[in-house]
Amino acid sequence: AQRVTQPEKLLSVFKGAPVELKCNYSYSGSPELFWYVQYSRQRLQLLLRHISRESIKGFTADLNKGETSFHLKKPFAQEEDSAMYYCALTGEWVRFGAGTRLTVKP
Amino acid sequence: DTAVSQTPKYLVTQMGNDKSIKCEQNLGHDTMYWYKQDSKKFLKIMFSYNNKELIINETVPNRFSPKSPDKAHLNLHINSLELGDSAVYFCASSQDLSVSYEQYFGPGTRLTVT
């Protein structure tokens, strides 16, 4: 079975604080993992993917196969990071997590 | 230029009606998708087409029928609309079926069934 779990529906932090959005997955094969973001009144767009191992807008995510996790992290959150974040697993099909709404307070 | 476009952006209709949502991509992609985002923001794939052929058909009522006249278009037709169909529907495309390719999303169509 292919499953993506984002345990937090809502996450609120203050500006400048570190933020971590959790994502756990289950998949028997080799997964491809992505983080998508949807800012207010904008379309869903790719934030980053694990194969490129890049940092986008200060966010990073490391695939931990032992813990089957792909948590999204940023050391210093900004107000403009407030958005809906979706973790996605592409194995046999693409599966999205339920999403986490991040609010960064001033 | 808009990469993936959907029309209409908002659709309000009554139960029992039949409606269509159109999607077009100008990226030259081979694969297109329809997703449903429910009131809890859960995003679930409904259909996937690759080169006009149906690839994925998740457990979606057969009142939903996708139509792909060419690989740049994937329209969603819904018959006998029900209250539970109210949601935001997103169209997306990717270069092909390879799992490594990013998906590009349309702006969404907010369907409200009254």
Side-chain angles (χ1 to χ4, degrees):
Chain A
Q2 196 176 319
R3 193 157 40 236
V4 180
T5 305
Q6 291 180 250
E8 302 142 327
K9 284 188 179 178
L10 302 170
L11 184 60
S12 182
V13 301
F14 284 101
K15 177 182 172 182
V19 64
E20 181 179 64
L21 291 89
K22 292 185 167 49
C23 173
N24 289 91
Y25 68 91
S26 64
Y27 181 59
S28 55
S30 289
E32 296 270 354
L33 283 140
F34 304 77
W35 276 99
Y36 283 84
V37 59
Q38 188 175 25
Y39 300 103
S40 179
R41 297 194 183 89
Q42 293 186 32
R43 64 187 66 198
L44 198 63
Q45 58 189 291
L46 179 69
L47 181 62
L48 53 78
R49 69 188 84 183
H50 90 270
I51 57 171
S52 52
R53 302 178 69 82
E54 57 197 344
S55 172
I56 304 291
K57 298 184 180 183
F59 284 97
T60 58
D62 290 319
L63 178 61
N64 186 324
K65 290 187 178 180
E67 295 181 359
T68 59
S69 68
F70 188 56
H71 303 328
L72 183 68
K73 300 177 185 178
K74 185 169 182 176
F76 307 103
Q78 302 299 313
E79 288 180 69
E80 56 266 28
D81 296 328
S82 295
M84 195 76 184
Y85 291 82
Y86 291 92
C87 182
L89 162 68
T90 306
E92 188 180 6
W93 314 128
V94 60
R95 286 276 186 265
F96 283 84
T100 298
R101 180 172 294 285
L102 173 65
T103 303
V104 181
K105 296 181 283 191
Chain B
D1 270 354
T2 303
V4 182
S5 59
Q6 292 177 233
T7 52
K9 198 168 182 180
Y10 299 97
L11 184 55
V12 181
T13 188
Q14 290 184 327
M15 283 175 57
N17 286 346
D18 302 338
K19 291 291 178 186
S20 292
I21 307 172
K22 294 185 177 182
C23 177
E24 177 181 1
Q25 53 96 2
N26 63 6
L27 297 164
H29 287 170
D30 285 346
T31 308
M32 295 185 72
Y33 312 80
W34 275 108
Y35 291 88
K36 180 181 180 181
Q37 185 184 46
D38 62 23
S39 57
K40 296 179 181 175
K41 299 291 187 184
F42 186 69
L43 201 62
K44 185 178 176 184
I45 192 166
M46 299 173 69
F47 301 102
S48 172
Y49 266 71
N50 188 64
N51 270 322
K52 303 196 309 175
E53 284 189 41
L54 180 64
I55 303 298
I56 299 172
N57 182 358
E58 290 287 278
T59 50
V60 176
N62 57 15
R63 298 182 294 103
F64 290 79
S65 53
K67 293 280 191 305
S68 182
D70 54 60
K71 73 174 195 179
H73 295 84
L74 181 62
N75 304 323
L76 184 65
H77 189 76
I78 316 170
N79 288 328
S80 303
L81 278 155
E82 300 178 357
L83 292 176
D85 297 332
S86 295
V88 181
Y89 292 84
F90 288 96
C91 177
S93 72
S94 63
Q95 188 163 335
D96 62 30
L97 280 176
S98 168
V99 296
S100 300
Y101 286 118
E102 172 186 353
Q103 293 193 28
Y104 292 79
F105 284 81
T109 296
R110 183 175 293 278
L111 171 65
T112 304
V113 182
T114 60

mmCIF file of all heavy atoms in Angstrom, chain A residues 92-93, chain B residues 30-33 45-58 66 97:
data_model
loop_
_atom_site.group_PDB
_atom_site.id
_atom_site.type_symbol
_atom_site.label_atom_id
_atom_site.label_comp_id
_atom_site.label_asym_id
_atom_site.label_seq_id
_atom_site.Cartn_x
_atom_site.Cartn_y
_atom_site.Cartn_z
ATOM 1 N N GLU A 92 3.592 3.883 -7.283
ATOM 2 C CA GLU A 92 2.754 3.371 -8.366
ATOM 3 C C GLU A 92 1.864 4.500 -8.898
ATOM 4 O O GLU A 92 1.705 4.688 -10.095
ATOM 5 C CB GLU A 92 1.904 2.219 -7.844
ATOM 6 C CG GLU A 92 1.138 1.500 -8.923
ATOM 7 C CD GLU A 92 0.306 0.365 -8.365
ATOM 8 O OE1 GLU A 92 0.238 0.221 -7.121
ATOM 9 O OE2 GLU A 92 -0.273 -0.368 -9.164
ATOM 10 N N TRP A 93 1.266 5.221 -7.986
ATOM 11 C CA TRP A 93 0.507 6.430 -8.329
ATOM 12 C C TRP A 93 1.050 7.555 -7.473
ATOM 13 O O TRP A 93 1.910 7.334 -6.626
ATOM 14 C CB TRP A 93 -0.993 6.291 -8.021
ATOM 15 C CG TRP A 93 -1.694 5.057 -8.434
ATOM 16 C CD1 TRP A 93 -2.453 4.251 -7.658
ATOM 17 C CD2 TRP A 93 -1.706 4.464 -9.734
ATOM 18 N NE1 TRP A 93 -2.941 3.205 -8.377
ATOM 19 C CE2 TRP A 93 -2.510 3.309 -9.650
ATOM 20 C CE3 TRP A 93 -1.130 4.799 -10.963
ATOM 21 C CZ2 TRP A 93 -2.762 2.489 -10.760
ATOM 22 C CZ3 TRP A 93 -1.361 3.987 -12.058
ATOM 23 C CH2 TRP A 93 -2.179 2.848 -11.952
ATOM 24 N N ASP B 30 2.694 15.136 -21.789
ATOM 25 C CA ASP B 30 1.944 13.959 -22.238
ATOM 26 C C ASP B 30 0.885 13.510 -21.251
ATOM 27 O O ASP B 30 -0.052 12.821 -21.612
ATOM 28 C CB ASP B 30 2.911 12.781 -22.455
ATOM 29 C CG ASP B 30 3.726 12.932 -23.731
ATOM 30 O OD1 ASP B 30 3.376 13.779 -24.574
ATOM 31 O OD2 ASP B 30 4.713 12.191 -23.889
ATOM 32 N N THR B 31 1.068 13.880 -19.974
ATOM 33 C CA THR B 31 0.206 13.338 -18.931
ATOM 34 C C THR B 31 -0.580 14.443 -18.237
ATOM 35 O O THR B 31 -0.029 15.491 -17.901
ATOM 36 C CB THR B 31 1.049 12.580 -17.888
ATOM 37 O OG1 THR B 31 1.873 11.628 -18.562
ATOM 38 C CG2 THR B 31 0.156 11.838 -16.907
ATOM 39 N N MET B 32 -1.857 14.191 -18.029
ATOM 40 C CA MET B 32 -2.718 15.148 -17.328
ATOM 41 C C MET B 32 -3.510 14.425 -16.261
ATOM 42 O O MET B 32 -3.741 13.213 -16.344
ATOM 43 C CB MET B 32 -3.653 15.851 -18.323
ATOM 44 C CG MET B 32 -2.899 16.724 -19.325
ATOM 45 S SD MET B 32 -3.963 17.667 -20.420
ATOM 46 C CE MET B 32 -4.616 18.918 -19.304
ATOM 47 N N TYR B 33 -3.911 15.192 -15.244
ATOM 48 C CA TYR B 33 -4.559 14.625 -14.065
ATOM 49 C C TYR B 33 -5.743 15.490 -13.638
ATOM 50 O O TYR B 33 -5.765 16.694 -13.883
ATOM 51 C CB TYR B 33 -3.573 14.590 -12.874
ATOM 52 C CG TYR B 33 -2.217 14.023 -13.146
ATOM 53 C CD1 TYR B 33 -1.221 14.784 -13.764
ATOM 54 C CD2 TYR B 33 -1.901 12.729 -12.752
ATOM 55 C CE1 TYR B 33 0.043 14.266 -13.995
ATOM 56 C CE2 TYR B 33 -0.624 12.210 -12.970
ATOM 57 C CZ TYR B 33 0.333 12.986 -13.596
ATOM 58 O OH TYR B 33 1.587 12.469 -13.805
ATOM 59 N N ILE B 45 -6.229 12.077 -6.019
ATOM 60 C CA ILE B 45 -6.228 11.928 -7.467
ATOM 61 C C ILE B 45 -7.503 11.220 -7.906
ATOM 62 O O ILE B 45 -8.001 10.318 -7.242
ATOM 63 C CB ILE B 45 -4.984 11.163 -7.960
ATOM 64 C CG1 ILE B 45 -4.857 11.275 -9.475
ATOM 65 C CG2 ILE B 45 -5.001 9.706 -7.504
ATOM 66 C CD1 ILE B 45 -3.512 10.860 -10.008
ATOM 67 N N MET B 46 -8.050 11.681 -9.018
ATOM 68 C CA MET B 46 -9.247 11.058 -9.570
ATOM 69 C C MET B 46 -8.899 10.286 -10.843
ATOM 70 O O MET B 46 -9.231 9.125 -10.990
ATOM 71 C CB MET B 46 -10.280 12.137 -9.903
ATOM 72 C CG MET B 46 -10.747 12.952 -8.730
ATOM 73 S SD MET B 46 -11.800 14.318 -9.235
ATOM 74 C CE MET B 46 -13.253 13.445 -9.789
ATOM 75 N N PHE B 47 -8.263 10.982 -11.768
ATOM 76 C CA PHE B 47 -7.953 10.389 -13.073
ATOM 77 C C PHE B 47 -6.571 10.825 -13.531
ATOM 78 O O PHE B 47 -6.095 11.890 -13.164
ATOM 79 C CB PHE B 47 -8.943 10.847 -14.159
ATOM 80 C CG PHE B 47 -10.368 10.530 -13.885
ATOM 81 C CD1 PHE B 47 -11.231 11.514 -13.430
ATOM 82 C CD2 PHE B 47 -10.861 9.260 -14.095
ATOM 83 C CE1 PHE B 47 -12.556 11.234 -13.178
ATOM 84 C CE2 PHE B 47 -12.189 8.977 -13.846
ATOM 85 C CZ PHE B 47 -13.037 9.965 -13.383
ATOM 86 N N SER B 48 -5.984 9.995 -14.368
ATOM 87 C CA SER B 48 -4.773 10.393 -15.050
ATOM 88 C C SER B 48 -4.859 9.907 -16.490
ATOM 89 O O SER B 48 -5.263 8.770 -16.743
ATOM 90 C CB SER B 48 -3.544 9.792 -14.368
ATOM 91 O OG SER B 48 -2.401 10.033 -15.153
ATOM 92 N N TYR B 49 -4.488 10.758 -17.399
ATOM 93 C CA TYR B 49 -4.456 10.419 -18.819
ATOM 94 C C TYR B 49 -3.039 10.599 -19.324
ATOM 95 O O TYR B 49 -2.374 11.582 -19.003
ATOM 96 C CB TYR B 49 -5.375 11.346 -19.625
ATOM 97 C CG TYR B 49 -6.766 10.820 -19.844
ATOM 98 C CD1 TYR B 49 -7.640 10.756 -18.781
ATOM 99 C CD2 TYR B 49 -7.187 10.382 -21.085
ATOM 100 C CE1 TYR B 49 -8.924 10.266 -18.959
ATOM 101 C CE2 TYR B 49 -8.468 9.900 -21.278
ATOM 102 C CZ TYR B 49 -9.334 9.843 -20.213
ATOM 103 O OH TYR B 49 -10.604 9.362 -20.382
ATOM 104 N N ASN B 50 -2.597 9.650 -20.149
ATOM 105 C CA ASN B 50 -1.298 9.780 -20.789
ATOM 106 C C ASN B 50 -1.502 9.649 -22.289
ATOM 107 O O ASN B 50 -1.990 8.624 -22.766
ATOM 108 C CB ASN B 50 -0.327 8.704 -20.293
ATOM 109 C CG ASN B 50 1.080 8.935 -20.788
ATOM 110 O OD1 ASN B 50 1.700 9.940 -20.444
ATOM 111 N ND2 ASN B 50 1.606 8.033 -21.590
ATOM 112 N N ASN B 51 -1.151 10.693 -23.017
ATOM 113 C CA ASN B 51 -1.377 10.690 -24.468
ATOM 114 C C ASN B 51 -2.805 10.285 -24.834
ATOM 115 O O ASN B 51 -3.027 9.414 -25.658
ATOM 116 C CB ASN B 51 -0.387 9.757 -25.171
ATOM 117 C CG ASN B 51 0.866 10.487 -25.570
ATOM 118 O OD1 ASN B 51 0.830 11.635 -25.988
ATOM 119 N ND2 ASN B 51 1.990 9.820 -25.429
ATOM 120 N N LYS B 52 -3.731 10.894 -24.187
ATOM 121 C CA LYS B 52 -5.177 10.715 -24.410
ATOM 122 C C LYS B 52 -5.708 9.367 -23.940
ATOM 123 O O LYS B 52 -6.860 9.047 -24.166
ATOM 124 C CB LYS B 52 -5.536 10.910 -25.887
ATOM 125 C CG LYS B 52 -5.142 12.241 -26.462
ATOM 126 C CD LYS B 52 -5.837 12.554 -27.794
ATOM 127 C CE LYS B 52 -5.714 11.449 -28.797
ATOM 128 N NZ LYS B 52 -6.491 11.701 -30.026
ATOM 129 N N GLU B 53 -4.878 8.565 -23.277
ATOM 130 C CA GLU B 53 -5.352 7.271 -22.795
ATOM 131 C C GLU B 53 -5.510 7.291 -21.289
ATOM 132 O O GLU B 53 -4.620 7.768 -20.570
ATOM 133 C CB GLU B 53 -4.372 6.168 -23.164
ATOM 134 C CG GLU B 53 -4.456 5.768 -24.619
ATOM 135 C CD GLU B 53 -3.621 4.522 -24.882
ATOM 136 O OE1 GLU B 53 -3.646 3.602 -24.045
ATOM 137 O OE2 GLU B 53 -2.937 4.513 -25.911
ATOM 138 N N LEU B 54 -6.601 6.739 -20.807
ATOM 139 C CA LEU B 54 -6.849 6.683 -19.377
ATOM 140 C C LEU B 54 -5.858 5.737 -18.714
ATOM 141 O O LEU B 54 -5.735 4.568 -19.100
ATOM 142 C CB LEU B 54 -8.280 6.206 -19.111
ATOM 143 C CG LEU B 54 -8.693 6.097 -17.648
ATOM 144 C CD1 LEU B 54 -8.693 7.465 -16.976
ATOM 145 C CD2 LEU B 54 -10.065 5.447 -17.530
ATOM 146 N N ILE B 55 -5.144 6.247 -17.709
ATOM 147 C CA ILE B 55 -4.151 5.444 -17.008
ATOM 148 C C ILE B 55 -4.616 5.128 -15.594
ATOM 149 O O ILE B 55 -4.507 4.025 -15.111
ATOM 150 C CB ILE B 55 -2.792 6.172 -16.943
ATOM 151 C CG1 ILE B 55 -2.298 6.510 -18.350
ATOM 152 C CG2 ILE B 55 -1.763 5.364 -16.161
ATOM 153 C CD1 ILE B 55 -2.044 5.294 -19.217
ATOM 154 N N ILE B 56 -5.101 6.139 -14.910
ATOM 155 C CA ILE B 56 -5.548 5.965 -13.535
ATOM 156 C C ILE B 56 -7.020 6.324 -13.449
ATOM 157 O O ILE B 56 -7.436 7.354 -13.954
ATOM 158 C CB ILE B 56 -4.773 6.881 -12.564
ATOM 159 C CG1 ILE B 56 -3.293 6.559 -12.585
ATOM 160 C CG2 ILE B 56 -5.321 6.764 -11.140
ATOM 161 C CD1 ILE B 56 -2.465 7.565 -11.801
ATOM 162 N N ASN B 57 -7.774 5.471 -12.816
ATOM 163 C CA ASN B 57 -9.164 5.792 -12.522
ATOM 164 C C ASN B 57 -9.416 5.309 -11.108
ATOM 165 O O ASN B 57 -9.682 4.137 -10.881
ATOM 166 C CB ASN B 57 -10.089 5.106 -13.525
ATOM 167 C CG ASN B 57 -11.546 5.453 -13.286
ATOM 168 O OD1 ASN B 57 -11.873 6.178 -12.342
ATOM 169 N ND2 ASN B 57 -12.419 4.958 -14.112
ATOM 170 N N GLU B 58 -9.217 6.204 -10.181
ATOM 171 C CA GLU B 58 -9.404 5.841 -8.791
ATOM 172 C C GLU B 58 -10.888 5.588 -8.516
ATOM 173 O O GLU B 58 -11.716 5.703 -9.409
ATOM 174 C CB GLU B 58 -8.861 6.954 -7.888
ATOM 175 C CG GLU B 58 -7.358 7.060 -7.918
ATOM 176 C CD GLU B 58 -6.678 5.930 -7.179
ATOM 177 O OE1 GLU B 58 -6.568 6.018 -5.941
ATOM 178 O OE2 GLU B 58 -6.273 4.948 -7.829
ATOM 179 N N PRO B 66 -14.050 11.679 -17.541
ATOM 180 C CA PRO B 66 -13.042 12.529 -18.171
ATOM 181 C C PRO B 66 -13.064 12.340 -19.686
ATOM 182 O O PRO B 66 -13.385 11.267 -20.180
ATOM 183 C CB PRO B 66 -11.738 12.014 -17.578
ATOM 184 C CG PRO B 66 -12.011 10.589 -17.247
ATOM 185 C CD PRO B 66 -13.477 10.464 -16.977
ATOM 186 N N LEU B 97 4.660 10.006 -17.665
ATOM 187 C CA LEU B 97 4.288 9.220 -16.488
ATOM 188 C C LEU B 97 5.448 8.958 -15.542
ATOM 189 O O LEU B 97 5.253 8.404 -14.478
ATOM 190 C CB LEU B 97 3.688 7.877 -16.913
ATOM 191 C CG LEU B 97 2.226 7.893 -17.338
ATOM 192 C CD1 LEU B 97 1.820 6.516 -17.825
ATOM 193 C CD2 LEU B 97 1.338 8.352 -16.195
#
